[in-house]
Structure formats: structure tokens, C-alpha cells
Amino acid sequence: MRILVTVASRHGATREIGTVVADVLRSAGHDVDELEPEDVGTVEPYAAVVLGSAVYAGRLGAGLRKLVERQGGQLRARPVWLFWSGPVGNPLSPPTVPDDVGVLASQAGAHAPQVFGGRLDRRTLGLAERALVALIDAEQGDFRDLDAVRAWAASVADELAPHGARR
């Protein structure tokens, strides 16, 4: 099955989560393309799509939002999964789901969205991002649980397996 994994990621941490998802899907026997949301002209060639985005200032990436606006009808015609990352710290904060996650999931016809912890490295941030991080007192570090990402991706692969061929 041909699957698209497309991730909006400003600093690369969420893109790395997308690569882990793509690797798990490939190991399950799928043909997986990894593209930036801005590089997706159409989702028509794909039997399924995994959408991912980092959350900045409480919103999903603009590239992913625009892709869903352009391709919403095509996305709803196939299985779609959505994940987002961004909460940092222990416990993960902020604990709330950004408003546009539900909106995008609905527009794309996505399964229940999945959240993963993010990574924060202040050295890679621009001035405005540093100000926001300081304002909310976000904890620096890598809070991604790649084992949880692999488990979620395996559940996606299981859902895509032909009936009766599940692991």
C-alpha cells in the first residue's frame, strides 16, 4: 500500500517523529513517501495518509493547515491519521489540545489525533520564539518518547493490514 507521511516541522524534532512513523510503516511492507506539506500537490496517489505537525504558539504548522484546506475532500476519501508534538517538561505541558487539532482532524476525516512530547532547544529558536518560551517558562529538553511513537505507528500499520493478516 502506498502511504504518504507529511509533517510540518520548523526545527526538525517533529519531522524526526514522522520518519520513525514512516520507518515502522515500511517495515510492515508499505511503500511510504515522506514529503513536506508544501510539496504535496495531491494526495490522490496514496491509499492512506499520516499528517503530523509541531505546535507553535498553540497552533499546528501553517503548511499542514494549508494542505488540509487544499486536499480536505481527497483526505476524507482515504484513511488518515494525525499526530502533533509540542508539549515539553515532566509532566508534559501544556496539557491542553490546541483548538485547530480538532478542526484539522475533522476537515481531514482523521482518526483520533495523537500527541507526542516535543523537544525544546533554545539555541535553535528565533527571537520571537525565545520570548514566547520565556513567557510560558517552557522546560528545555527532549521529551519525545520514540517507543510510544513506534507503538502508535505499529497500530496504524495494523489498521492498514488486510483483514485477517494482522500481527
Side-chain angles (χ1 to χ4, degrees):
M1 177 178 295
R2 189 169 179 203
I3 302 171
L4 171 64
V5 174
T6 182
V7 177
S9 179
R10 203 177 288 169
H11 300 288
T14 307
R15 186 173 299 106
E16 291 170 6
I17 292 172
T19 296
V20 170
V21 170
D23 289 346
V24 169
L25 294 172
R26 283 187 191 102
S27 71
H30 299 290
D31 179 19
V32 180
D33 291 341
E34 294 177 73
L35 297 172
E36 299 290 323
E38 297 82 5
D39 295 336
V40 178
T42 180
V43 297
E44 196 168 324
Y46 300 101
V49 177
V50 177
L51 305 169
S53 181
V55 172
Y56 297 99
R59 299 199 56 178
L60 295 174
L64 190 72
R65 291 193 317 265
K66 290 176 184 173
L67 170 61
V68 172
E69 287 172 16
R70 287 191 322 268
Q71 293 290 301
Q74 286 293 323
L75 287 164
R76 286 188 300 277
R78 60 198 26 80
V80 174
W81 287 264
L82 171 65
F83 74 86
W84 59 281
S85 75
V88 294
N90 190 7
L92 293 176
S93 181
T96 57
V97 177
D99 293 339
D100 62 351
V101 168
V103 171
L104 249 65
S106 177
Q107 290 173 339
H111 294 258
Q114 177 66 43
V115 61
F116 298 110
R119 179 179 71 197
L120 176 60
D121 181 352
R122 285 183 173 84
R123 298 170 301 174
T124 65
L125 302 179
L127 186 60
E129 292 170 317
R130 280 190 217 153
L132 177 61
V133 164
L135 181 68
I136 63 172
D137 196 28
E139 187 176 339
Q140 179 163 299
D142 190 343
F143 302 94
R144 298 172 299 165
D145 180 346
L146 298 182
D147 288 336
V149 172
R150 287 182 194 92
W152 180 77
S155 73
V156 171
D158 284 348
E159 288 193 49
L160 292 170
H163 193 58
R166 296 180 189 265
R167 294 187 261 164

